[in-house]
């Protein structure tokens, strides 16, 4: 019998978080707080780092995102990709330093002004690179293969540049409770608490 193929992408996107309290805060506010993330663009120019305001999602199927959960948390809010399209959320482009298309991106970088480059880099990421560890306050010693994360990203249009505050105050990514497809929690007690508070989510909250 032919081996069943496992999907490497889902029809949905999920935003993961580490704490139940953070999940509850997102649900109560009906928005995702946008934060600046320090991105490494060494594949364009050595030492090039840019703070990009964003909200991150993944379309990894739940069955194969164990490493993603260990890295970003076991709690998640899931939406369909039509919602993502309507919110201008897009999959990002992964680039290698020695890639042919990366040469094209370098040419654009040299010919364009800062605003154009920021818009371009907002949806670009290293295939594999060091990352900034906020807990330790420094860059990691080992590389991380970001390509495995299948990231989708929301970035505000014409965003204001980073001035020291990691919270982006000019805008939030809003949603309606009814637009949520699924929520992942870790205990039946957490599931019960959310159902009592949001009856419309009954049947959509899964213990994973």
């Amino acid at each position: 019998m032919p081996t069943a193929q496992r999907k490497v992408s889902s029809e949905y996107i999920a935003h993961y978080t580490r704490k139940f309290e953070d999940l509850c805060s997102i649900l109560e506010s009906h928005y995702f707080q946008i934060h600046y993330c320090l991105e490494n663009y060494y594949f364009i120019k050595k030492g090039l780092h840019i703070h990009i305001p964003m909200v991150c999602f993944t379309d990894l199927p739940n069955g194969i995102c164990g490493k993603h959960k260990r890295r970003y948390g076991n709690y998640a809010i899931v939406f369909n990709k039509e919602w993502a399209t309507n919110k201008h959320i897009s999959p990002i482009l992964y680039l290698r330093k020695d890639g042919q298309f990366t040469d094209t991106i370098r040419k654009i970088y040299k010919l364009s002004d800062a605003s154009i480059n920021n818009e371009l880099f907002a949806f670009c990421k290293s295939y594999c690179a060091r990352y900034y560890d906020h807990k330790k306050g420094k860059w990691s010693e080992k590389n991380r293969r970001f390509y495995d994360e299948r990231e989708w990203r929301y970035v505000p249009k014409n965003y204001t540049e980073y001035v020291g505050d990691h919270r982006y105050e000019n805008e939030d990514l809003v949603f309606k409770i009814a637009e949520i497809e699924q929520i992942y929690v870790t205990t039946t007690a957490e599931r019960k608490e959310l159902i009592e508070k949001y009856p419309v989510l009954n049947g959509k909250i899964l213990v994973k």
Side-chain angles (χ1 to χ4, degrees):
M1 295 180 62
T3 303
Q5 293 185 347
R6 176 177 287 182
K7 291 184 178 180
V8 294
S9 65
S10 169
E11 297 303 315
Y12 306 92
I13 62 168
H15 175 82
Y16 282 84
T17 188
R18 294 182 178 87
K19 298 179 181 179
F20 182 64
E21 292 80 5
D22 294 338
L23 174 69
C24 292
S25 177
I26 294 171
L27 293 174
E28 289 171 4
S29 63
H30 294 196
Y31 67 79
F32 294 96
Q33 171 69 55
I34 301 169
H35 290 88
Y36 286 94
C37 293
L38 185 58
E39 296 288 280
N40 183 357
Y41 295 97
Y42 82 99
F43 55 90
I44 298 297
K45 179 182 177 182
K46 184 177 181 181
L48 180 60
H49 304 133
I50 302 175
H51 283 90
I52 307 291
M54 65 181 75
V55 180
C56 300
F57 301 83
T58 179
D59 71 354
L60 283 169
N62 186 61
I64 62 172
C65 66
K67 182 186 293 184
H68 196 87
K69 290 180 179 179
R70 290 191 294 273
R71 186 170 291 160
Y72 296 106
N74 290 304
Y75 299 94
I77 303 178
V78 182
F79 299 90
N80 62 43
K81 285 183 175 176
E82 181 180 358
W83 178 85
T85 299
N86 292 336
K87 294 294 184 178
H88 307 292
I89 301 169
S90 300
I92 65 173
L93 178 65
Y94 294 94
L95 297 170
R96 297 181 65 100
K97 184 178 180 180
D98 55 354
Q100 182 177 352
F101 185 62
T102 307
D103 291 337
T104 302
I105 300 296
R106 289 195 192 99
K107 292 176 183 177
I108 296 174
Y109 171 74
K110 292 178 181 178
L111 295 173
S112 302
D113 60 26
S115 62
I116 296 297
N117 285 328
N118 286 350
E119 291 180 17
L120 175 65
F121 293 155
F123 291 93
C124 292
K125 196 175 186 73
S126 300
Y127 171 86
C128 183
R130 295 190 304 148
Y131 63 95
Y132 190 78
D133 190 326
H134 288 282
K135 289 184 178 180
K136 296 181 179 179
K138 63 179 182 179
W139 290 94
S140 65
E141 296 180 1
K142 296 182 179 180
N143 287 339
R144 174 182 293 177
R145 189 165 63 186
F146 294 106
Y147 182 74
D148 293 345
E149 297 183 351
R150 296 193 59 86
E151 182 180 343
W152 287 56
R153 184 179 289 179
Y154 176 81
V155 178
K157 292 183 178 180
N158 303 315
Y159 66 84
T160 54
E161 294 191 14
Y162 175 75
V163 293
D165 186 355
H166 287 284
R167 291 170 62 94
Y168 188 78
E169 300 293 350
N170 295 16
E171 181 182 339
D172 298 305
L173 175 59
V174 300
F175 63 89
K176 298 176 182 177
I177 294 295
E179 293 174 322
I180 297 173
E181 293 288 340
Q182 288 184 333
I183 291 178
Y184 302 153
V185 296
T186 63
T187 68
T188 54
E190 292 170 342
R191 179 177 179 273
K192 181 179 179 181
E193 180 179 335
L194 291 183
I195 291 175
E196 289 177 351
K197 196 163 189 177
Y198 306 100
V200 69
L201 294 176
N202 190 13
K204 295 184 176 183
I205 304 173
L206 306 178
V207 179
K208 294 289 186 179

